[in-house]
């Protein structure tokens, strides 16, 4: 959810105040995080071809982590059932207060345009973490090749830090060689993601477009992923996509 108010100060300058909310509730019971963001934004067109936007503000995140306690208080959860105890599901709650930010510079050439973009905000963790704080930098551009063909290119890098900490039980299990079988598959505290891609569009009228794109992705986890033994913590992936875009004409509702 996002809502905001903006005001033009001059024909080239505007300011805005934005509030945003996002909630992630995972299928694992008791695992979720909810984020509230307030940002002040400032945008300015320097020339007819060059403009920029900057914004920043506080970000408050409430994180719920599933864990368990043993009905036998003196027994660690991992050994609970072995001693005849019962595991009782519990939820650990944490609050993170940080900063969200964004910045963008865009320049339009006579037949092309380029942009440099930076964003810092909470993400879903891309399936590796149950929530992450991500810093994302991307550089891209587009250029028409003919009346019906145009091309685009982008390259970027992101660093994501685990938002949801390992529970006390998980930390004990990961640090003890006898209980590492119960350690989460991914116990890294951060990962880096780099990507580079390019593609072309072809227009078949005002509403229908076809596109082809190729993208290379590289993911590398922090050294904490291999804390106990050497392992491969880097993954490379290439993706090619062929598809259609259909954008219908605007429909008036008044």
């Amino acid at each position: 959810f996002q809502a905001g108010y903006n005001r033009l100060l001059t024909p080239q300058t505007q300011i805005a105040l934005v509030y945003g909310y996002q909630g992630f509730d995972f299928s694992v019971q008791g695992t979720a995080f909810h984020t509230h963001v307030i940002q002040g934004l400032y945008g300015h067109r320097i020339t007819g071809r060059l403009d920029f936007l900057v914004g920043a503000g506080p970000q408050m995140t409430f994180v719920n982590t599933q864990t368990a306690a043993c009905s036998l208080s003196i027994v660690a959860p991992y050994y609970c059932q072995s001693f005849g105890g019962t595991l009782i599901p519990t939820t650990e709650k944490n609050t993170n207060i940080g900063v969200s930010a964004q910045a963008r510079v865009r320049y339009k050439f006579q037949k092309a345009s380029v942009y440099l973009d930076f964003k810092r905000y909470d993400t879903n963790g891309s399936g590796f973490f149950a929530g992450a704080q991500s810093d994302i930098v991307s550089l891209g551009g587009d250029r028409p090749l003919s009346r019906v063909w145009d091309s685009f290119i982008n390259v970027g890098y992101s660093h994501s830090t685990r938002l949801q900490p390992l529970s006390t039980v998980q930390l004990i299990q990961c640090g003890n060689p006898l209980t590492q079988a119960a350690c989460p598959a991914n116990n890294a505290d951060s990962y880096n993601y780099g990507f580079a891609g390019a593609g072309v569009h072809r227009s078949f009228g005002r509403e229908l477009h076809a596109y082809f794109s190729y993208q290379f992705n590289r993911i590398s986890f922090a050294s904490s992923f291999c804390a106990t033994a050497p392992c491969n913590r880097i993954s490379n992936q290439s993706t090619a996509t062929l598809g259609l875009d259909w954008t219908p004409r605007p429909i008036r509702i008044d």
Side-chain angles (χ1 to χ4, degrees):
F1 171 82
Q2 182 171 282
Y5 173 81
N6 70 296
R7 180 176 179 83
L8 287 171
L9 300 181
T10 71
Q12 293 80 30
T13 304
Q14 59 180 316
I15 58 174
L17 183 65
V18 177
Y19 165 78
Y21 164 82
Q22 59 179 354
F24 293 88
D25 293 275
F26 297 91
S27 58
V28 178
Q29 183 178 2
T31 302
F33 74 92
H34 300 263
T35 301
H36 301 269
V37 177
I38 298 176
Q39 273 194 1
L41 300 170
Y42 174 81
H44 181 70
R45 181 173 297 278
I46 301 174
T47 68
R49 297 179 180 272
L50 178 64
D51 63 82
F52 73 91
L53 172 73
V54 293
Q59 177 175 254
M60 180 176 293
T61 305
F62 301 94
V63 184
N64 293 340
T65 305
Q66 185 195 47
T67 184
C70 184
S71 58
L72 305 175
S73 58
I74 61 173
V75 178
Y78 185 75
Y79 301 103
C80 184
Q81 294 175 328
S82 300
F83 285 85
T86 302
L87 285 173
I88 304 172
T90 61
T91 300
E92 291 185 0
K93 297 185 177 183
N94 297 278
T95 301
N96 296 333
I97 299 177
V99 176
S100 68
Q102 62 175 304
R104 184 189 67 212
V105 178
R106 182 174 55 185
Y107 186 84
K108 292 184 178 181
F109 295 93
Q110 186 174 359
K111 292 186 177 182
S113 64
V114 296
Y115 69 87
L116 177 63
D117 186 80
F118 168 78
K119 292 181 180 179
R120 177 185 177 89
Y121 60 100
D122 288 346
T123 62
N124 61 4
S126 300
F128 302 118
F129 303 147
Q133 181 171 270
S134 300
D135 296 310
I136 306 169
V137 179
S138 59
L139 173 67
D142 59 78
R143 186 184 191 282
L145 302 176
S146 68
R147 186 176 61 85
V148 295
W149 286 92
D150 63 83
S151 61
F152 61 90
I153 187 171
N154 61 21
V155 60
Y157 170 85
S158 71
H159 176 76
S160 297
T161 304
R162 179 190 289 274
L163 190 64
Q164 183 186 58
L166 294 177
S167 66
T168 303
V169 175
Q170 291 172 329
L171 288 172
I172 295 173
Q173 292 168 342
C174 293
N176 187 345
L178 299 177
T179 60
Q180 283 183 353
C183 182
N186 181 12
N187 62 335
D189 52 23
S190 66
Y191 70 90
N192 300 319
Y193 169 61
F195 61 91
V200 291
H201 280 106
R202 193 199 190 284
S203 172
F204 293 99
R206 294 186 176 181
E207 301 179 6
L208 186 63
H209 299 78
Y211 65 89
F212 173 78
S213 66
Y214 166 80
Q215 182 163 305
F216 173 78
N217 305 306
R218 180 181 178 90
I219 299 174
S220 60
F221 289 96
S223 57
S224 56
F225 181 69
C226 305
T228 58
C231 67
N232 186 357
R233 56 187 180 86
I234 298 175
S235 172
N236 297 324
Q237 181 185 56
S238 295
T239 304
T241 305
L242 179 66
L244 294 173
D245 285 329
W246 178 63
T247 305
R249 294 181 180 180
I251 300 173
R252 298 190 61 169
I253 58 175
D254 56 348

